[in-house]
Amino acid sequence: MYEGGVVLNSGRLLCHAVKTARKRDKAQVPLTLIGHGTGGIVVRSALCFSYSNQDRFGLILQKTKHVLFLDTPRSDLSQDAWKCISRGSSSEESIGGWKAWSTALARSHKVFNEMSRHFNITSAFAELDSHLDVSDISANLDVSGQTSLAREEHIILENTNHRTISQLSRGSVNYNWLVRRIQEGSSRITQNPEDIERIRVWIGRRPDVINRADQKRNLELHQAGTGNWLFEDRRFRQWATLGETSPLLWLTGPEGCGKSVLCSLATDRIRQSPQQHAIAYLMLAFDKPQSQYQILTQLALQLLDYVVRTQGGVDTEALLRLPEDHDTGSRVARIRDLIKVLVSQCPAVFFFIDGLDEVTSAEGLSSQPEQHTKLDKVTEQLYGIVSFLVDLAQADSATPVRLWLSSLKTDHISKWMQEFGGDELPADESAIALDVSHFFQDRMVKAEATESPEPDAMVSLCKAVGCNFLIASMITEEWQRSGLSSINGFRHSITDGVRELYADCLEKLKSLEKGTDQDDGRGNAVPAMHILSLLTSARRPLKMKEMREAVAILQKPFHDESEFCCEDLAPDDIKQLDGSDIERYCTPFVSFVPSEEETEDSYIRLSHVSVLHFLRELASSPVYEQGEPRIITNIMSDACLRYLSQRKYAITPEARTEAFQDDSFLAYAAKYWHRHLDESSSFPTEAVQSFICSPQFITVVQTQSLLLNGHFGRVDDDGKESQQVPASFSTRADLQALAHDYRQFIKEWSEFLQLGVTNARLHGAIQHCFWGALGETNFLWKHGSGIESNASFLLDFDASQDDNEAQESGTSYYYDMISEDGRRLAVWKIPIRRYRP
């Protein structure tokens, strides 16, 4: 562009003017920029300036959907054309202006062409006295009027010249055409599969299959004829029909009253409406705590699927929201911007967030100070999500947005609702109590039971259960399995609440486990207490194949004689436990979530957040009889460490990563082992230290590189690097050196290790790391240097006070040399020493 004159200044000034004018526009509606003659060059200049200064003016480029040029030169400005524009003037000032505009047009051509695919372009030319030959314009157009620029359309306006083309009479043919073209060009959709895939890849996550399974399961749990009170409620009807009411609806109710089922029913009701609104549903289950970024990405993926399915493509503004390779901005801010763009493409959007209280309640069960800090952080992130969605719902935009929240009525969520001005919709407990009675009657009919409770006993039972579907379901399952007498045994526990019922069921489960008849029919005993212990500690629901291997590895002993390792799992060690059998034996504590695609991808999880509360409280109890089956608090840390310490994982130069691809529990153990160890208060530190210094730990690093996207260099929403070794290593003096050595390695190699996920050519190629250059004092040197494909060394002086000063100063000289054939590289890093006379 022309750097020294009026053109660049005009483009810059236009950017400032647009930005100032749009400060009060909260909705940030799409922009259509119109330029006449040299004004079109100013528009090009402004867009190029916005493109190169996106930190300050990027929103102008992002919101520009259509650029309309009226008799503006496209790529060059000849002297004859300038005479037409300047009305024949040949003065020195006019010639200087021509040179400035011509230079600006030529230099902006390449940049403008690069960005032009993000918006529509219309070039209208005057028929009379034009600076271009009309025949030349026509010759450059195809049948549809398109040119080589993406989405550019040319048109010749009849009976206009350069001056009158911008002074069209309202109602004229040319005027109507321009208005229609402006309206048609107000959106820019890309249907390019590569563009859409680029967005999915940047989001970096797959749709949550468990989330879909949760909604499907909730709909299956719905008892026909129940829940009608919700759809008859005036507040819900106004909210669902986009009436004059608060866009935020908060369903509250006691534990077990069916809030999750009602949320799924409401979602299904909106989805089946003829308007085909966009819907994003998320169940914040207690057993899969998620960060603000993870939750927002799941919402974004659902909206992306909707706009692609209904509109065939995505607004090109979404591509401009994606970061460049060097971008270090907030991931949360980026995904929020993407959601805003996707929302703008929808006729209306309904967000459903269920279980808002479950994540915070699951995190708040520990008395340890660090858990309270974690709880505060989780609460803060949930507030950030709700606040963002409320802002979308309350924004003055063309797309109506509605937000549904359902949860227990807790103090902190109540404060949020008061702040946001949401409408609370308390569950109608009297209507739900009638629904529970209907539920009992239906279950008796379907079971075709030979004996049923007397009418008076049924009335008494319904009164005791009240509006708690959770208790009602437990009673009917026990009745169908063990007969009417089992309900009589439950009667004394019903009035004491669900936890007393859980206690009764757990005692029966313990009795079964002490016996020898707990078999699935194929010779596989169901280790119920081990399964419950693993699920109580798990960071997420476990796949069935993960659960089988975790249960099996607990039977393998450690060997400490010459090396720290665990015996390898053999196929015969892994019992083929069936998820349905586990659910039946461990009822009411466990739910089996079958996969729609592959049986091995089915999940096993705790059935309800109240089960998690009950089992964790039980695990913290110090009173147990000798040999009594119990919930083991550190079982998951034990399983992870045993699994990762198998002898076969000892890294060697010949080790092949393909040999471990069928090891189902490997990815989970490699990702969460250090977190489980932090939660365990009784695991011996010496064993952990031996594991980290073992060759198996190098395989853990390789597994993380291969399977865990974003594991290395991961930062939390506060911008702090996450810890990849147990936190205790940073606080204990005898272990700090190990943590320091590991951080030094990650600081130098995290970006390369991440290529194991994103680059097939470097798939887990940790042998290319310069392990030897870490130095013999680094614990990773011992086993890492034995596998590196190119020998590396750390050139250093003998340890002395000078060495410490050089390391502390952080100042070094780097020298490198490449071999003549270009196949070898030598690098020296030498610390600078202070001169001492």
Side-chain angles (χ1 to χ4, degrees), residues 151 218 251 346 385 511 690 779:
R151 298 285 292 185
N218 287 335
L251 176 70
C346 304
I385 294 167
S511 299
S690 298
F779 77 92

Side-chain angles (χ1 to χ4, degrees), residues 704-752:
Q704 293 166 343
S705 173
L706 283 167
L707 304 178
L708 305 180
N709 186 16
H711 185 80
F712 296 101
R714 183 189 299 273
V715 295
D716 58 24
D717 293 327
D718 296 327
K720 299 178 180 178
E721 289 190 10
S722 60
Q723 187 74 263
Q724 304 297 348
V725 294
S728 60
F729 278 44
S730 297
T731 57
R732 287 187 48 173
D734 55 337
L735 300 176
Q736 286 179 347
L738 292 178
H740 176 270
D741 287 350
Y742 180 78
R743 284 195 296 268
Q744 178 188 354
F745 168 71
I746 293 301
K747 182 179 180 181
E748 294 185 9
W749 291 99
S750 60
E751 292 186 12
F752 174 81

